[in-house]
């Protein structure tokens, strides 16, 4: 099937494709020790799948299952067919590992290339990959996708901002892969060095690997003078290439020929209606070496109702607002870190860096936010700073429904991360 036909496939034809792929995935999955036991216990086989909705007959899979079965319990092929592994500790907890055969890597590269083409990258573009390689999926995943598309690929890796800029200039780089927190750090470095982003050549940035808000994306686009497209992936589902924004930038198309998605209530595990937030659950439809069924991602999102103006028929998910296990409760109110970022980065005086601190006083959990203020707004004027303090507190209270502690910090006073930013410091006794 031609790539354009896959992206604009009718919903009925897509459902038929998913049913066939899910039956084949079940047949393959039960060759693994883990799913062999799990599917036998559930009494479920390929013959029980008649519609995509029949996915709910299958048992859920969790990260703890992957940890318990580490390293080979979910492998569904002879080990001599395995050609690569990626391992991740994820946001929390011990390591998990995912294996790929050669066809898996080809399929993954095709998906990433599809994402890149969708946002305007073409053969002949020069792509600078500014994320970590190694066991992290973002480096090699994006690298192979860019090469599959036909781009000159610069495997820069993370950090060393001065060298990143030299590479951009030397090779006239047109597209970047960069995590959001480092993109903001990168923009601040350019400003301090007196470098005009408009004099640099990138026109596209692919951003992902950590949850971020629309406000963060808008800042990146404004500060770096390019278009930034949101990416979603997780190592259990390959890595990058699961879902990606199109030029409309109204949600991320999740490639439903490769992944069957559900959004469920994280407490009841029942489906929620389109448009309602819940936990994303994913099933691989192309994976051969290590298929995964109904994986609880812990990522909170929603399926956006309606059709996309770009014409693609694969449904869109909203940006990830947080993880179900990232939520914390302050004075009886459920709070996600992304809510705090949304407020802070929507305030012009606020810089790029902040830290959320959780502590406990007299057996009551407390929330405190430290936020850097831009140099031109950080003054030795207590009255002016008090006005800014009250304004930020007011906006946080309106969003969170509780009043946090707030410290206004001078520029570059908080730790700067060139990898994934650690935005939450939990000091509560265990």
């Amino acid at each position: 099937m031609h790539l354009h036909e896959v992206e604009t496939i009718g919903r009925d034809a897509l459902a038929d494709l998913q049913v066939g792929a899910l039956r084949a995935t079940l047949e393959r999955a039960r060759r693994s020790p883990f799913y062999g036991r799990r599917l036998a216990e559930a009494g479920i086989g390929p013959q029980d799948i008649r519609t995509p909705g029949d996915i709910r007959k299958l048992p859920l899979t969790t990260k703890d299952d992957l940890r318990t079965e580490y390293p080979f319990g979910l492998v569904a092929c002879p080990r001599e067919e395995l050609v690569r592994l990626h391992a991740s500790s994820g946001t929390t907890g011990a390591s998990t590992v995912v294996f790929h055969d050669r066809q898996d890597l080809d399929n993954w590269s095709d998906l990433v290339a599809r994402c890149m083409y969708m946002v305007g990258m073409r053969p002949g573009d020069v792509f600078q990959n500014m994320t970590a390689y190694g066991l992290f999926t973002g480096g090699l995943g994006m690298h192979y996708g860019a090469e599959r598309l036909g781009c000159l690929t610069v495997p820069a890796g993370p950090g060393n901002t001065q060298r990143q800029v030299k590479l951009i200039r030397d090779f006239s780089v047109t597209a970047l892969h960069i995590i959001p927190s480092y993109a903001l750090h990168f923009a601040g470095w350019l400003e301090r060095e007196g470098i005009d982003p408009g004099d640099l050549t990138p026109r596209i940035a692919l951003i992902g690997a950590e949850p971020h808000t629309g406000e963060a994306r808008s800042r990146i686009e404004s500060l770096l003078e390019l278009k930034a497209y949101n990416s979603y992936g997780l190592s259990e589902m390959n890595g990058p290439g699961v879902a990606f924004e199109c030029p409309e930038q109204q949600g991320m198309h999740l490639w439903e020929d490769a992944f069957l998605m559900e959004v469920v209530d994280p407490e009841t595990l029942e489906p929620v209606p389109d448009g309602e937030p819940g936990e994303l659950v994913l099933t691989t439809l192309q994976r051969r070496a290590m298929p995964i069924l109904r994986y609880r991602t812990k990522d909170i999102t929603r399926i956006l109702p309606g059709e996309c103006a770009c014409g693609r028929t694969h449904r869109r998910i909203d940006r990830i607002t947080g993880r179900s296990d990232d939520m914390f409760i302050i004075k009886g109110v459920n709070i996600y870190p992304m809510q705090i970022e949304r407020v802070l980065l929507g305030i012009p005086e606020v810089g790029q860096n902040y830290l959320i601190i959780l502590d406990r006083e007299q057996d009551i959990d407390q929330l405190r936010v430290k936020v850097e203020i831009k140099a031109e707004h950080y003054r030795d004027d207590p009255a002016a700073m008090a006005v800014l303090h009250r304004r930020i507190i007011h906006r946080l209270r309106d969003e969170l429904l509780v009043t946090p502690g707030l410290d206004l910090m001078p520029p570059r006073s908080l730790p700067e991360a060139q990898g994934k930013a650690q935005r939450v410091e939990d000091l509560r006794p265990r």
Side-chain angles (χ1 to χ4, degrees):
M1 186 179 290
H2 188 272
L3 182 60
H4 180 71
E5 294 175 353
V6 172
E7 295 182 29
T8 58
I9 187 173
R11 295 298 305 178
D12 289 344
L14 180 58
D16 290 342
L17 185 156
Q18 289 180 321
V19 167
L22 182 55
R23 286 174 176 165
T25 295
L26 280 183
E27 185 63 47
R28 195 165 189 92
R30 61 185 182 182
R31 301 176 194 172
S32 72
F34 173 72
Y35 283 122
R37 297 191 307 270
R38 183 69 67 89
L39 293 173
E41 290 167 359
I44 301 294
Q47 70 281 359
D48 298 301
I49 303 300
R50 297 180 177 84
T51 72
D54 287 336
I55 187 73
R56 291 192 289 275
K57 297 177 181 179
L58 304 177
L60 290 155
T61 305
T62 67
K63 185 176 283 287
D64 283 342
D65 292 326
L66 270 65
R67 291 171 178 149
T68 301
E69 297 295 322
Y70 178 93
F72 295 111
L74 274 75
V75 171
C77 69
R79 291 192 195 177
E80 57 267 25
E81 295 180 12
L82 302 175
V83 296
R84 192 195 300 168
L85 67 85
H86 282 280
S88 171
S89 61
T91 306
T92 58
S95 180
T96 60
V97 64
V98 175
F99 296 92
H100 304 271
D101 69 9
R102 191 162 301 281
Q103 186 62 52
D104 291 334
L105 295 183
D106 284 342
N107 292 340
W108 182 12
S109 297
D110 287 342
L111 287 172
V112 175
R114 184 194 298 185
C115 298
M116 292 174 166
Y117 192 92
M118 178 168 63
V119 299
M121 289 176 59
R122 295 292 183 269
D125 268 309
V126 182
F127 174 71
Q128 186 157 318
N129 199 359
M130 301 166 68
T131 59
Y133 281 69
L135 294 176
F136 171 61
T137 57
L140 286 171
M142 287 290 192
H143 183 112
Y144 276 76
E147 290 185 342
R148 178 62 53 89
L149 182 57
C151 301
L152 173 59
T153 303
V154 183
N160 197 339
T161 305
Q162 185 172 353
R163 185 167 178 267
Q164 300 281 7
V165 173
K166 184 179 189 310
L167 292 170
I168 288 170
R169 285 173 163 163
D170 288 352
F171 302 109
S172 299
V173 170
T174 55
L176 309 172
H177 178 217
I178 185 169
I179 66 173
S181 54
Y182 183 55
L184 293 170
H185 168 82
F186 184 78
W189 188 93
L190 294 179
E191 183 180 16
R192 291 192 296 274
E193 294 296 316
I195 298 173
D196 183 355
D199 292 336
L200 302 178
T201 48
R203 71 180 193 279
I204 292 172
L206 314 179
I207 56 176
E210 60 186 7
H212 61 285
T213 59
E215 288 75 11
R217 190 259 292 281
S218 295
R219 279 205 180 190
I220 291 166
E221 291 188 326
S222 175
L223 292 169
L224 296 181
E225 299 184 22
L226 43 65
K227 294 297 290 183
Y229 295 97
N230 195 10
S231 166
Y232 174 73
L234 63 164
S235 61
E236 294 83 359
M237 296 291 122
N238 288 349
V242 175
F244 222 90
E245 282 186 318
C246 69
E248 298 294 325
Q249 294 183 302
Q250 297 294 320
M252 296 176 285
H253 291 277
L254 190 140
W255 301 125
E256 296 183 84
D257 57 323
F259 307 98
L260 201 157
M261 71 166 159
E262 309 164 70
V263 177
V264 304
D265 183 304
E267 298 297 327
T268 67
L269 303 180
E270 291 298 315
V272 300
D274 289 1
E276 295 294 320
E279 180 182 338
L280 184 63
V281 174
L282 292 173
T283 297
T284 63
L285 295 178
Q286 294 181 350
R287 179 83 62 73
R288 293 165 50 86
M290 187 175 159
I292 298 181
L293 309 175
R294 301 197 74 202
Y295 183 70
R296 292 191 61 182
T297 68
K298 298 289 188 177
D299 291 323
I300 302 300
T301 186
R302 63 191 180 111
I303 296 174
L304 295 176
E307 299 178 355
C308 184
C310 78
R312 292 174 178 83
T313 53
H314 297 243
R315 289 177 296 173
R316 295 163 294 147
I317 58 171
D318 207 350
R319 66 178 56 251
I320 304 301
T321 58
R323 292 176 54 82
S324 59
D325 49 7
D326 280 347
M327 185 190 77
F328 48 86
I329 301 174
I330 301 294
K331 298 179 181 177
V333 177
N334 296 347
I335 297 173
Y336 292 96
M338 286 297 95
Q339 293 176 272
I340 296 172
E341 178 177 289
R342 185 181 306 119
V343 171
L344 296 178
L345 296 190
I347 298 172
E349 295 88 345
V350 167
Q352 322 305 358
N353 211 357
Y354 66 91
L355 182 64
I356 299 166
I357 299 175
L358 302 175
D359 209 343
R360 187 169 294 153
E361 297 178 7
Q362 297 180 342
D363 296 325
I364 297 176
D365 287 352
Q366 305 290 335
L367 169 63
R368 189 161 204 89
V369 179
K370 293 185 175 184
V371 59
E372 291 182 5
I373 303 301
K374 293 178 180 176
E376 62 268 30
H377 298 291
Y378 192 85
R379 304 171 185 169
D380 189 16
D381 181 346
M385 296 303 289
V387 170
L388 179 58
H389 187 278
R390 286 195 296 272
R391 182 150 56 90
I392 296 174
I393 281 284
H394 178 76
R395 293 197 187 181
L396 286 170
R397 184 175 62 244
D398 284 351
E399 171 68 25
L400 306 178
L401 305 180
V402 297
T403 303
L406 177 67
D407 297 321
L408 305 185
M409 309 295 291
R412 305 189 67 187
S413 58
L414 295 175
E416 292 184 341
Q418 297 193 2
K420 287 188 180 183
Q422 299 299 315
R423 299 296 196 189
V424 179
E425 183 177 343
D426 194 343
L427 304 178
R428 294 173 294 182
R430 297 299 180 187

